[in-house]
Amino acid sequence: MPLMVRVCFLLVTVLLLPGCIERTISITSEPSGALVYLNDEEVGRTPLRVPFTFYGVYDVRLERDGFTPLHTQAETKAPWWEAPGPDLVAELVSDKEVLIPWHFEMAELAPPEDEPLVDRARQMRALVHEAP
């Protein structure tokens, strides 16, 4: 087999069998079960994994009953082999996975400060209902 045919066969084989880089953000929270929004788009409840395409800063919002909503930003940074140049070889050579872990702590809602006022209102209501 001539050398040119071998080279063409090798190139076609390499191009037909490319690898794939899977980019995923793993999001956990304390407590779990918080509703997660990335860039104002609902993506699910923690714990969850979300695929992403672009590296950079994301707006993150977590909400859960009984806890203060959390509004923050988190960043995805590219590994060295995703830099221009090595990324071509990395995609062709093997399957890779980029897993970015994010963990968020949510604070419990504080009890209302006006609790004595609510108690007094209940007492007044009871007095009004008892009056003839």
Side-chain angles (χ1 to χ4, degrees), residues 51-77:
F52 73 97
T53 305
F54 301 104
Y55 293 101
V57 177
Y58 288 81
D59 291 323
V60 182
R61 187 172 81 229
L62 281 83
E63 297 176 352
R64 173 138 185 201
D65 289 339
F67 291 84
T68 303
L70 178 65
H71 299 268
T72 188
Q73 291 185 330
E75 184 175 11
T76 56
K77 291 185 180 180

Side-chain angles (χ1 to χ4, degrees), residues 3-75:
L3 179 62
M4 184 58 97
V5 173
R6 288 181 186 175
V7 169
C8 287
F9 179 74
L10 180 63
L11 284 175
V12 168
T13 304
V14 167
L15 291 176
L16 291 177
L17 299 173
C20 179
I21 296 179
E22 184 178 331
R23 295 170 186 92
T24 308
I25 301 169
S26 172
I27 304 172
T28 57
S29 68
E30 184 57 44
S32 62
L35 188 57
V36 179
Y37 297 86
L38 290 181
N39 294 338
D40 291 326
E41 182 179 329
E42 183 179 325
V43 294
R45 293 192 176 272
T46 59
L48 75 141
R49 289 179 145 207
V50 180
F52 73 97
T53 305
F54 301 104
Y55 293 101
V57 177
Y58 288 81
D59 291 323
V60 182
R61 187 172 81 229
L62 281 83
E63 297 176 352
R64 173 138 185 201
D65 289 339
F67 291 84
T68 303
L70 178 65
H71 299 268
T72 188
Q73 291 185 330
E75 184 175 11

